[in-house]
Amino acid sequence: MLGTDDRVFALAMARLADSLGNSFLVIVLPLYIASGEISLAGLEGFSTELLIGVVLSLFGLLNSSLQQFTGRASDRAGKRKAFILVGLVVFGVASALYPLASSYWAILALRAFQGIGAALTVPVTIALVNEYSADASQRGGNFGVFNTFRLIGFGFGPIIAGVLVTGGFSSSEVVTYQVAGVAVSGFDAAFAVAVAGAAVSFALVSWLVEEPERDDAAATDDLSVAILGRDQLLDPVFVVGVGTFFMATGIAIYATLQEVVNAALGQGPFLFSVQFAAVVIANVLFQVPIGRASDRYGRRPFLVVGFALLAPSVLLQGYVPEFQALMPASILGVNGPAVVMIVLRLLQGVSVAMVFAPGLALAGDLARRGQSGTTLSVLTTAFGFGVAIGPLAAGYLVRFGFATPFVFVAVLAALAFFLTYSQVYETAFIDEEPREAPAD
């Protein structure tokens, strides 16, 4: 893309393929667990929503818990490419084993294995983008391009998965395909796509991604996260990390609520997959222009406005069923309440776009030389924890009413707005060169 480092573009294409495969599982695994094909023996006292939430959350918990270690280890080793390749192999192998799993515990173990694979790739790819962006005036744009392609995979994957599993746009039944005379279920077809995504990503990284020149001795052994700031109460990277955690929680609550949302809005899996993807589609449209605008106008304005928009856009989603009587039953031939939910999810996606690239760029502005993996893993870890906590929180809170998970996230978004407005200063123009790291 014009104005983007070719290495960033290559890395973005690799993440697109990997994210496509991973996003399939966000939609497919809840359907798979609820389908009856997986044994839930001994778990009769737990709701299906809670069991789904645990599976989706375990991935994020392991991913996030290990990222500080893998980010620092890649700083130390100075060979980030190897971390990415090993992580992709782990993810691909686990995806290939899903069709062989017959119990909930096997699904849980495979998803945990994939969480470890993600921990090896996520902070390292982000660190590479930052190191390819030595010129701070291009950092936001590069992160915008990288996130755009990653999110194309993550955003359109659920739509494709919904169609692949059910065999159409309106069906709610799992389809069976005939491939070379062999019956292949929609679930197995989706798992095969996840494997293919990891394989394509592995090939692209192997052939196109190169190690940046760097000082291997610059990394630190200190894994602590700075909480207190120098000239204000809280450190800005920590504050953006907290906001990223809240933002990711808001994205992740939706996957667990698939059955509840479909029942409340009278829709099928396809419309749900479109709603889930709407947040990411908005990111695809706005990441690059917002990232580049943050290079020109600064990171802080976008972060503040992003969190200000996040709170109401999530809050209103919780009340779509309450106001169905005030909505058209059909909009352009599509379920009216479902369309309203899509619009609100798009608005949430715009708010996320205002936080994502500028937040990463802010952390990159403040990263010391040779410590990109360690510093930026604060944000990737926070995002991972949000993705982990969101499904669990939704699975628990929905018992108190459909709107409760959405109200919970809206309160978190309002808190993120307050912290960002009061504690985050502008970083885009204060330091054109990465700061030297202190001696170990």
Side-chain angles (χ1 to χ4, degrees), residues 1 34 47 75 109 196 226 234 287 291 310 316 322 364 370 387 398:
M1 296 180 69
S47 69
D75 286 342
L234 299 174
Q287 276 282 311
L310 180 61
L316 291 174
E322 298 290 331
V387 169
V398 73

Side-chain angles (χ1 to χ4, degrees), residues 51 107 136 157 208 232 254 256 258 271 317 334 343 356 364 373 382 411:
L51 293 175
I107 296 293
L208 301 176
Q232 69 287 327
Y254 211 67
T256 304
Q258 180 169 183
L271 281 175
Q317 291 174 39
V334 181
V343 172
F356 230 143
V411 172

Side-chain angles (χ1 to χ4, degrees), residues 155-216:
F156 287 95
I159 297 177
I160 301 172
V163 173
L164 188 61
V165 170
T166 62
F169 293 98
S170 58
S171 174
S172 59
E173 298 295 327
V174 178
V175 71
T176 298
Y177 299 95
Q178 293 295 325
V179 181
V182 178
V184 178
S185 76
F187 289 129
D188 290 348
F191 295 139
V193 172
V195 175
V200 171
S201 186
F202 184 95
L204 289 171
V205 171
S206 298
W207 295 336
L208 301 176
V209 175
E210 61 184 43
E211 298 284 1
E213 295 182 4
R214 60 183 299 281
D215 178 6
D216 293 345

